[in-house]
Amino acid sequence: VKELQGNSPNKTDRKDPKVIADIIELGHALTLVVPEGAAAELRRLSHARERSVQRRTALFNQLQELAFVIFPEFSQQMKDFKTKSAQYLLKHFPAPEDILACGLGPLTDVLRKVSRGKLGAERARGLYEAAQDSVGIREGRESILFEIQEILSNIEASDRFVSRLEKELSKHLQEIPASRYLLSMNGIGEITAAGLIGEVADFDNFHTISEVTKLAGLDLFEISSGKHRGMRRISKRGRPLMRKLLYFAALNTVRKGGVMHEKYRAYLDRGMVKTKALVAIGRKILGILFALVRDHSEYVKGYSNTANLDKAA
C-alpha cells in the first residue's frame, strides 16, 4: 500500500498516517483481542504456567545431563526422569556408591514404596548391577552432586508453583459461564479450557469460525501460480499457545474410545500423516467448541445433530 501512494517507495512520518488510513478503509486491519476480567486473569495465568513448564523442562534436561556424567547407566534403568521414583533415587542415591551402600533388599523396598508397587525387585536388581559396573566419572563428582540437589530443589519449587497456578486457573475459570460448554467435551480439561478462553477472551466477539481459526494461526494457505499448485499449510500467524493447547487436546480425543478417534482413523486411512491429522483434529475441535459456546450447548457424543457442529467446524 505504501507503493500505491504516488507510486513511490518513500516512507515518512507525514505519509504513514495516510497509508494506515488506506489500509483500514480497505478492510485489511486486524482486530485486537483484549481480554477483560476473569478472561484476562486466565490469559496471564496460562502464560505464567507455560513459562514455568518450559523452565521445568529445561531443569529436567540439565538433571539428565549431569546424572549421565556420574552414573550413565541410571538412565537405562529409569528412562523417565520426571517420575517421582527417578527423582527420589537421584535425591537420596545419586551416585553408584550410594546404590551399593543401600543394598539390594532395602533398595527394592524403597522402589516399591515410592512407585506405589509399580517398580520392584527386577528394577532394583538392574540398578544394583548397573552400579557395580558403572563407568561414571569420579573426578569433580562432589560438585556435580551438589548441583543435582539444587536442580531437584528447583524442580520441586517449580512443581509447587505450577500447582498453585492451576488452582488459580480453576478458580477464575468458574467465573466464566461459557466454560461449562467447553468442559462438556470429553478430552477438554480445565487447563485447555482456561488457556483457550484466555487467548480468545470472549467467543461472542467472533461471528464466524474462520475468525477464531485465524486467531489461532490454524487458517490454511497455499502458494500457487499458473499450473503449479502448492501444498495447503496452516499459517501459524496466530496465537502459538492456542495451537499447542488444541494439539494436546487432539491427542486426548483421538485415543481409543475418544470422541475424535474415528475421525482421526479416517484421516490416517486417507494417507494423511499423523502430525497433519492431529492438526486437522485440532481445527475441528476448535470449530466444535466455537459452535457449543455460540449455541449455548453442551457436547453430546453421537448426538443426531452433531453433523451441524462438524459443518460449523
Side-chain angles (χ1 to χ4, degrees):
V1 176
K2 172 173 67 72
E3 297 285 342
L4 297 179
Q5 286 280 349
N7 192 26
S8 168
N10 188 42
K11 182 186 182 303
T12 64
D13 290 341
R14 294 182 61 186
K15 183 178 180 180
D16 287 347
K18 297 179 181 179
V19 175
I20 294 173
D22 288 340
I23 292 174
I24 294 176
E25 186 177 7
L26 290 171
H28 294 327
L30 298 177
T31 301
L32 176 63
V33 178
V34 181
E36 298 178 352
E41 300 294 342
L42 289 177
R43 182 176 185 182
R44 294 303 178 186
L45 289 169
S46 295
H47 282 245
R49 182 184 181 278
E50 182 67 14
R51 289 190 295 268
S52 298
V53 170
Q54 290 175 356
R55 288 194 296 267
R56 186 173 59 182
T57 300
L59 288 172
F60 276 117
N61 292 337
Q62 295 172 24
L63 180 65
Q64 187 168 355
E65 180 182 355
L66 291 173
F68 183 81
V69 173
I70 62 173
F71 193 3
E73 298 81 7
F74 182 86
S75 60
Q76 299 174 1
Q77 301 296 326
M78 308 296 293
K79 299 183 182 301
D80 189 358
F81 279 61
K82 295 182 180 180
T83 62
K84 295 297 182 183
S85 301
Q87 293 179 50
Y88 184 90
L89 289 175
L90 287 173
K91 186 174 183 178
H92 295 88
F93 314 104
E97 291 81 1
D98 299 324
I99 296 288
L100 297 175
C102 178
L104 182 57
L107 181 64
T108 301
D109 296 335
V110 168
L111 267 180
R112 186 175 289 114
K113 181 179 179 180
V114 175
S115 66
R116 297 182 178 180
K118 294 180 181 179
L119 304 177
E122 183 177 354
R123 187 64 57 89
R125 187 178 301 107
L127 279 168
Y128 192 82
E129 293 176 354
Q132 289 177 323
D133 302 321
S134 178
V135 295
I137 67 169
R138 297 181 180 275
E139 300 299 330
R141 176 177 291 184
E142 184 177 346
S143 299
I144 294 176
L145 292 174
F146 179 80
E147 188 175 2
I148 285 177
Q149 297 306 315
E150 180 64 20
I151 291 175
L152 287 169
S153 178
N154 289 336
I155 289 175
E156 292 176 357
S158 181
D159 287 339
R160 290 193 297 269
F161 183 59
V162 170
S163 179
R164 289 171 56 194
L165 286 172
E166 291 176 352
K167 289 180 180 178
E168 288 294 312
L169 281 169
S170 179
K171 182 182 71 174
H172 288 290
L173 187 62
Q174 295 175 7
E175 301 175 18
I176 306 293
S179 63
R180 56 177 292 197
Y181 308 125
L182 303 183
L183 294 172
S184 67
M185 184 175 182
N186 292 336
I188 304 298
E190 288 189 342
I191 302 301
T192 301
L196 291 177
I197 292 175
E199 295 297 292
V200 176
D202 189 351
F203 280 89
D204 292 335
N205 291 332
F206 298 88
H207 303 290
T208 63
I209 180 55
S210 60
E211 295 176 357
V212 183
T213 304
K214 190 172 184 179
L215 177 68
L218 291 174
D219 52 314
L220 301 178
F221 80 98
E222 64 178 87
I223 300 177
S224 300
S225 179
K227 295 182 179 180
H228 172 72
R229 288 292 177 267
M231 294 180 60
R232 301 184 75 190
R233 296 182 173 88
I234 58 174
S235 69
K236 294 186 179 181
R237 287 193 173 185
R239 303 290 175 81
L241 183 56
M242 282 187 69
R243 294 195 298 275
K244 182 177 181 178
L245 291 170
L246 290 168
Y247 185 83
F248 281 105
L251 288 174
N252 288 334
T253 57
V254 300
R255 294 170 180 168
K256 190 172 183 180
V259 295
M260 289 293 174
H261 177 71
E262 294 182 3
K263 190 68 177 178
Y264 176 66
R265 297 306 309 175
Y267 284 148
L268 296 182
D269 292 341
R270 285 163 45 185
M272 191 178 293
V273 297
K274 291 184 178 180
T275 302
K276 189 174 181 180
L278 288 170
V279 172
I281 292 295
R283 279 170 50 89
K284 185 166 288 294
I285 290 174
L286 181 59
I288 292 176
L289 295 177
F290 174 78
L292 291 175
V293 176
R294 179 197 61 199
D295 299 338
H296 302 285
S297 302
E298 295 187 6
Y299 185 84
V300 178
K301 185 178 180 181
Y303 184 60
S304 59
N305 287 334
T306 302
N308 295 331
L309 294 178
D310 289 342
K311 183 178 180 181

